[in-house]
Amino acid sequence: MNDSGRNILALDGPAGAGKSTVARRCAQALGVTMLDTGAMYRAVTIACLRAGVDLADAAACAGVGRSARIVLDQDGLVILDNSDVTAEIRTPEITGLVSTVSAHATVREIMVGHQRAWAEHHDGGVVEGRDIGTVVFPDARLKVFLVATSHERARRRLADENAAGRSVDLDDLIADIDRRDQIDSQRAASPLKPADDSVAIDTTGRNINDIVAQIVAAYQGRA
Ligand code: DC
């Protein structure tokens, strides 16, 4: 039997549901490494822009994705072909374009290969994304699907944008979040949806420590 998911905690959910913070905190609590797969799709998007390919061209994007060297370290640094793109992957431009690139099945296949190789190399860990429990590790030990209201998610994004020195409008953020959710959940390739055997957690208004404790206990309970 394939047991590649033996040591995987899969964290999926829409943008702004709290995945990154929860993933980082769960990884710390469990003493394991974590992988932010959204950062990989963001880095590929930058690689495609740098290569000057049409982002709607699946084959061209896959060609770029195949040759791009993306390294994610545990301090959150994202390196693309030897250049540090940690800040650039979070810019509004990339946030607005990444859904187009990540919708290509050919690009996803390459990224999923890297994600499985990462898990094998680290003997598992916390992996966050959109399709981790449904496609990448369907046999994950625990699958969590995080949600929060669009208003709450936009409010969190607003705080991040302000912290990065950008001023944005809350209503624009809500509209952008709804637009991205729609693309991510309606695409043909690996749409965003909870795995049948996932545990759904609504993070709206909840204390992060409680959420982390709930997930860590559930994961350890399945050892
Ligand atoms: O989690 P994030 O906002 O950094 O993700 C960026 C984009 O990548 C988002 O539009 C959804 C996509 N994504 C995906 O399709 N599959 C994943 N496993 C992770 C992210």
Side-chain angles (χ1 to χ4, degrees):
M1 194 186 116
N2 179 353
D3 68 349
S4 62
R6 180 176 88 247
N7 293 328
I8 297 286
L9 167 50
L11 270 179
D12 289 303
K19 293 189 304 292
S20 302
T21 312
V22 170
R24 193 173 53 248
R25 294 278 305 274
C26 286
Q28 276 166 357
L30 292 166
V32 299
T33 49
M34 66 157 284
L35 180 65
D36 172 358
T37 62
M40 298 173 73
Y41 288 100
R42 287 170 181 270
V44 175
T45 303
I46 294 176
C48 291
L49 288 174
R50 286 185 180 174
V53 301
D54 176 359
L55 299 190
D57 183 336
C61 291
V64 172
R66 214 167 284 119
S67 53
R69 207 177 116 70
I70 300 167
V71 179
L72 282 78
D73 82 359
Q74 285 307 296
D75 297 324
L77 279 185
V78 182
I79 310 295
L80 167 66
D81 297 329
N82 294 324
S83 84
D84 184 344
V85 293
T86 312
E88 191 181 350
I89 59 167
R90 307 284 167 205
T91 57
E93 185 199 1
I94 300 305
T95 300
L97 296 172
V98 61
S99 287
T100 306
V101 175
S102 63
H104 300 313
T106 45
V107 171
R108 303 197 67 82
E109 224 170 86
I110 297 160
M111 292 303 116
V112 168
H114 289 321
Q115 291 154 19
R116 290 183 179 146
W118 176 92
E120 200 167 312
H121 180 72
H122 291 90
D123 194 24
V126 178
V127 186
E128 61 136 313
R130 302 289 190 290
D131 59 341
I132 309 306
T134 50
V135 174
V136 188
F137 298 108
D139 54 353
R141 189 193 302 183
L142 178 69
K143 301 175 185 180
V144 174
F145 197 81
L146 291 181
V147 292
T149 61
S150 334
H151 187 271
E152 168 86 3
R153 292 156 56 205
R155 214 184 43 71
R156 290 174 186 161
R157 266 268 302 278
L158 186 71
D160 289 346
E161 296 293 340
N162 288 344
R166 291 186 286 263
S167 93
V168 277
D169 180 73
L170 186 68
D171 288 335
D172 288 347
L173 286 180
I174 294 176
D176 181 58
I177 281 176
D178 287 342
R179 182 190 65 84
R180 269 218 287 164
D181 279 359
Q182 195 166 353
I183 299 178
D184 292 344
S185 54
Q186 291 182 0
R187 69 184 175 214
S190 314
L192 169 68
K193 62 165 190 214
D196 293 339
D197 51 351
S198 65
V199 177
I201 298 180
D202 188 339
T203 63
T204 311
R206 277 194 65 190
N207 178 290
I208 176 87
N209 293 334
D210 293 347
I211 297 167
V212 171
Q214 178 186 352
I215 295 173
V216 166
Y219 184 80
Q220 288 173 331
R222 295 186 183 197

